């Protein structure tokens, strides 16, 4: 029987006053930045080098095992958000389109997270773990394809994760604050105490491991930007943050290692295992096989295929040849669900991040997959995602490789027929995330302003697509049947 939350937190006073061994091991003098090239996306932890260092050097950061599960925009980080211009005012009369602030999948996603958080706060751990196990065994998903077990588990650990994030944010505003306060580890130590009492429960163990992965990404995201290279100068605060992040990744790896044999029978455990690879160097075949198992368990969820694509980049755990091979294998294994769409999903983020991947992609195969994705899921949420991707995301990283630029330009043209033939309503948060390159670690200080910026970006793109009509004085109004042109 699982202990109540009061008992769980009381155990903190009984724990040794020294930092746990898995954490002190991460404080050694070894370099925390020696990591191999790795990808972004939430795929796993890297013990020696987490994923975000390289992502940061590439201008992209991905990570956090929970990023796909936060409300209406997934993860928030600290990027400067400016107020949108007067785009909405300028197009108010000539361009009218319904705005969707939420959708059924967003609501169900948030309800499951809230439920997991509520059960944890109410000391109902036995009920919570049982619900996670049942959702995992039955493969229940939200309308958008997110596993219910993952959402419940994220809600259950949300308080611990948020406490660390808020503590680090508070400390960052206090000069000279050290990063060793117990407030930063008390929550996860309480989860560890709970796990030790129920060491045979694989779902609880995986939940604790995911908490470590989330906290590792928080430490890495909070790491100060390194100074300009100077002789004999080291950024000790940055090194300390990265060592702590790697310690959490290593602890997660240690927790999940005994569960590998059970992954074939549990999508929840498979997802936790794959979440390690975004912060951990691993053999290409090992990563590809792990994702293959996960995709077979939940072929309707494109996020796993997208994560596989970023992991197959040379900067991560793969190569360009491996990326192409896995994209084609994914198209074959998910053909019943997505047609050729598996190929497109694997390359979806990869070609936005990597010029060589974009230059090598099979353009016709990619576009065939894009159309098959629409046939499988013609929802407005999907149409907004694809249109925003083509119109905004692919504009990033331009000007470095002519062949990649040409391929991105051809794919970007799909935004025109997506908007004209399929768009019926606007989802501002999707466009806002697309404008950030779907950066899972982009931190938003105001969700309202972030959505407003996404709406402004979307209106600019739509106005560009309908430039001729608008210049000729027409008004454009979108409806469930399509768009109508009326004279001014």
């Amino acid at each position: 029987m699982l202990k109540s939350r009061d008992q769980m937190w009381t155990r903190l006073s009984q724990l040794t006053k020294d930092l746990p061994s898995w954490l002190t091991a991460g404080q050694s003098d070894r370099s925390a930045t020696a990591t191999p090239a790795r990808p972004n996306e939430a795929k796993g932890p890297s013990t020696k080098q987490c994923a975000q260092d390289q992502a940061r050097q590439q201008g992209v950061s991905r990570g956090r095992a929970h990023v796909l599960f936060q409300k209406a925009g997934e993860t928030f980080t600290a990027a400067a958000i400016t107020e949108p211009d007067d785009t909405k005012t300028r197009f108010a009369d000539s361009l009218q389109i319904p705005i969707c602030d939420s959708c059924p999948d967003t609501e169900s996603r948030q309800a499951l997270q809230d439920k997991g958080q509520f059960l944890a706060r109410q000391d109902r751990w036995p009920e919570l773990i049982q619900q996670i196990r049942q959702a995992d065994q039955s493969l229940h998903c939200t309308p958008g394809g997110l596993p219910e077990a993952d959402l419940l588990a994220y809600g259950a650990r949300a308080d611990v994760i948020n406490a660390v994030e808020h503590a680090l944010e508070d400390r960052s505003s206090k000069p000279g604050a050290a990063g060793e306060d117990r407030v930063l580890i008390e929550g996860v130590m309480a989860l560890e105490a709970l796990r030790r009492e129920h060491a045979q429960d694989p779902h609880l163990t995986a939940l604790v491991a995911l908490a470590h992965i989330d906290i590792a990404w928080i430490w890495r995201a909070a790491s100060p930007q390194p100074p300009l290279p100077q002789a004999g100068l080291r950024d000790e605060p940055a090194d300390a943050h990265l060592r702590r992040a790697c310690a959490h990744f290593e602890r997660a790896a240690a927790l999940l290692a005994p569960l590998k044999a059970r992954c074939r029978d549990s999508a929840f455990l498979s997802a936790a295992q794959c979440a390690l690879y975004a912060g951990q160097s691993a053999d290409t075949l090992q990563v590809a096989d792990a994702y293959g198992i996960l995709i077979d368990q939940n072929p309707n969820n494109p996020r796993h295929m997208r994560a596989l694509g970023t992991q197959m980049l040379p900067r991560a755990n793969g190569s360009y040849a491996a990326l192409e091979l896995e994209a084609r294998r994914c198209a074959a294994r998910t053909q019943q669900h997505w047609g050729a769409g598996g190929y497109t999903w694997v390359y979806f983020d990869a070609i936005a991040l990597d010029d060589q991947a974009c230059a090598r992609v099979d353009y016709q195969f990619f576009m065939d997959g894009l159309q098959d994705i629409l046939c499988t899921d013609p929802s407005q949420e999907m149409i907004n995602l694809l249109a925003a991707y083509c119109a905004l995301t692919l504009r990033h990283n331009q000007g470095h490789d002519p062949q990649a630029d040409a391929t991105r330009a051809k794919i970007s043209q799909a935004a025109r027929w997506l908007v004209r033939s399929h768009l019926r309503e606007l989802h501002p948060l999707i466009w806002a995330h697309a404008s950030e390159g779907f950066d899972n670690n982009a931190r938003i200080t105001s969700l309202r302003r972030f959505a407003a910026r996404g709406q402004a970006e979307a209106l600019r793109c739509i106005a560009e697509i309908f430039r001729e009509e608008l210049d000729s004085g027409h008004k454009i109004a979108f409806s469930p049947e399509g768009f109508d042109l009326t004279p001014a």
Side-chain angles (χ1 to χ4, degrees):
M1 186 78 168
L2 292 175
K3 300 271 187 186
S4 71
R5 195 172 72 93
D6 285 343
Q7 291 173 301
M8 182 185 83
W9 291 101
T10 300
R11 283 296 301 274
L12 283 173
S13 63
Q14 303 169 4
L15 296 174
T16 172
K17 295 303 178 185
D18 296 327
L19 295 177
S21 59
W22 55 263
L23 187 52
T24 55
Q27 300 286 356
S28 65
D29 289 334
R30 75 180 184 280
S31 171
T33 56
T35 24
R38 1 136 322 88
N40 30 333
E41 278 300 314
K43 237 175 258 229
S46 110
T47 127
K48 296 182 180 158
Q49 175 171 31
C50 314
Q52 246 175 356
D53 272 340
Q54 266 219 334
R56 218 174 249 164
Q57 295 170 6
Q58 300 292 337
V60 174
S61 44
R62 309 259 167 192
R64 300 263 275 270
H66 70 269
V67 315
L68 297 177
F69 313 134
Q70 256 188 355
K71 182 175 185 177
E74 318 192 338
T75 252
F76 305 141
T77 70
I81 303 295
T82 57
E83 291 286 356
D85 58 19
D86 62 344
T87 303
K88 288 190 288 184
T89 303
R90 287 189 286 118
F91 295 126
D93 293 333
S94 57
L95 190 57
Q96 299 174 358
I97 183 169
I99 305 298
C100 180
D101 295 322
S102 64
C103 61
D105 189 58
T106 299
E107 295 167 0
S108 61
R109 190 164 63 218
Q110 189 61 30
L112 286 162
Q113 290 180 49
D114 291 345
K115 185 176 184 180
Q117 187 177 50
F118 173 79
L119 291 175
R121 288 177 174 178
Q122 295 298 314
D123 309 332
R124 293 156 65 177
W125 287 93
E127 182 180 349
L128 171 60
I129 297 301
Q130 180 62 21
Q131 290 196 22
I132 291 174
R133 186 180 297 110
Q134 289 177 349
D136 180 32
Q137 292 173 349
S138 59
L139 297 176
H140 285 162
C141 295
T142 66
L146 282 173
E148 291 186 2
D150 292 358
L151 295 165
L152 287 167
Y154 175 68
R157 65 187 190 270
D159 284 338
V160 171
I161 296 163
N162 292 336
V164 174
E165 189 161 27
H166 294 158
L168 281 176
E169 287 176 354
D170 289 343
R171 298 182 66 77
S172 66
S173 63
K174 299 175 183 177
E180 277 74 30
D181 281 359
R182 294 188 63 81
V183 67
L184 296 170
I185 60 169
E186 284 178 346
V188 75
M189 286 175 69
L191 290 177
E192 286 275 5
L194 180 67
R195 185 203 65 81
R196 282 196 297 273
E197 294 170 2
H198 307 276
Q200 301 306 312
D201 190 317
H203 289 79
L204 178 59
T205 299
L207 189 154
V208 177
L210 288 169
H212 278 290
I213 294 171
D214 292 338
I215 293 171
W217 284 116
I218 293 170
W219 274 101
R220 186 164 284 280
S223 175
Q225 290 292 335
L228 293 175
Q230 299 180 26
L233 181 61
R234 293 191 61 187
D235 189 350
E236 292 184 3
D239 287 349
H241 280 66
L242 297 178
R243 284 196 297 269
R244 185 64 66 85
C246 288
H248 281 285
F249 277 133
E250 289 174 354
R251 179 56 180 163
L255 289 173
L256 292 173
L259 305 180
K260 284 186 178 180
R262 305 192 186 192
C263 287
R264 288 190 176 275
D265 301 319
S266 169
F268 180 73
L269 299 182
S270 289
Q273 202 75 47
C274 288
L276 281 172
Y277 294 122
Q280 185 177 44
S281 176
D283 178 73
T284 300
L285 289 177
Q286 177 186 346
V287 176
D289 288 345
Y291 271 94
I293 293 171
L294 181 57
I295 292 167
D296 287 341
Q297 290 167 331
N298 188 6
N300 290 319
N301 188 350
R303 293 165 183 83
H304 303 322
M305 293 180 272
R306 292 173 63 178
L308 170 62
T310 57
Q311 280 296 314
M312 289 297 102
L313 288 172
R315 70 180 73 180
N317 289 310
S319 64
Y320 295 121
L323 174 63
E324 177 68 14
L325 174 62
E326 292 306 317
R328 292 181 180 273
R329 288 181 63 194
C330 205
R333 69 169 17 117
T334 63
Q335 201 221 356
Q336 256 190 323
H337 301 271
W338 294 102
Y343 183 89
T344 303
W345 283 130
V346 172
Y347 267 104
F348 198 80
D349 294 290
I351 65 173
L353 299 174
D354 192 290
D355 286 340
Q356 280 300 308
C358 189
R360 293 165 179 257
V361 69
D362 185 329
Y363 166 76
Q364 193 56 54
F365 202 164
F366 186 93
M367 295 306 297
D368 289 345
L370 194 69
Q371 295 182 6
D372 285 348
I373 289 171
L374 274 184
C375 292
T376 301
D377 183 2
S379 68
Q380 284 300 299
E381 189 171 15
M382 180 63 72
I383 293 186
N384 273 264
L385 172 66
L386 298 179
Y389 170 79
C390 292
L392 294 178
T393 306
L394 291 181
R395 292 181 182 176
H396 291 259
N397 298 329
Q398 294 277 7
H400 303 293
D401 184 305
Q403 188 173 353
D405 289 348
T407 301
R408 289 192 183 108
K410 288 196 295 182
I411 296 173
S412 295
Q413 292 173 5
R416 185 176 182 85
W417 60 263
L418 284 166
V419 170
R420 284 181 170 270
S421 302
H422 301 284
L423 190 68
R424 303 292 181 264
E425 62 187 32
L426 198 61
H427 292 231
L429 282 170
I430 292 177
W431 288 81
H433 279 284
S435 69
E436 292 293 318
F438 296 106
D439 179 357
N440 287 332
N441 282 331
R443 198 169 268 176
I444 287 80
T445 57
S446 167
L447 187 60
R448 179 187 60 82
R449 286 190 292 159
F450 187 59
R453 195 179 79 174
Q455 183 173 336
E457 292 280 6
L459 290 175
R460 273 194 289 267
C461 291
I462 295 172
E464 180 64 27
I465 290 170
F466 288 96
R467 173 182 287 183
E468 290 184 12
E469 291 86 346
L470 293 174
D471 287 347
S472 63
H474 286 86
K475 292 182 179 180
I476 300 168
F478 286 82
S479 70
E481 289 72 39
F483 69 88
D484 296 318
L485 291 177
T486 58

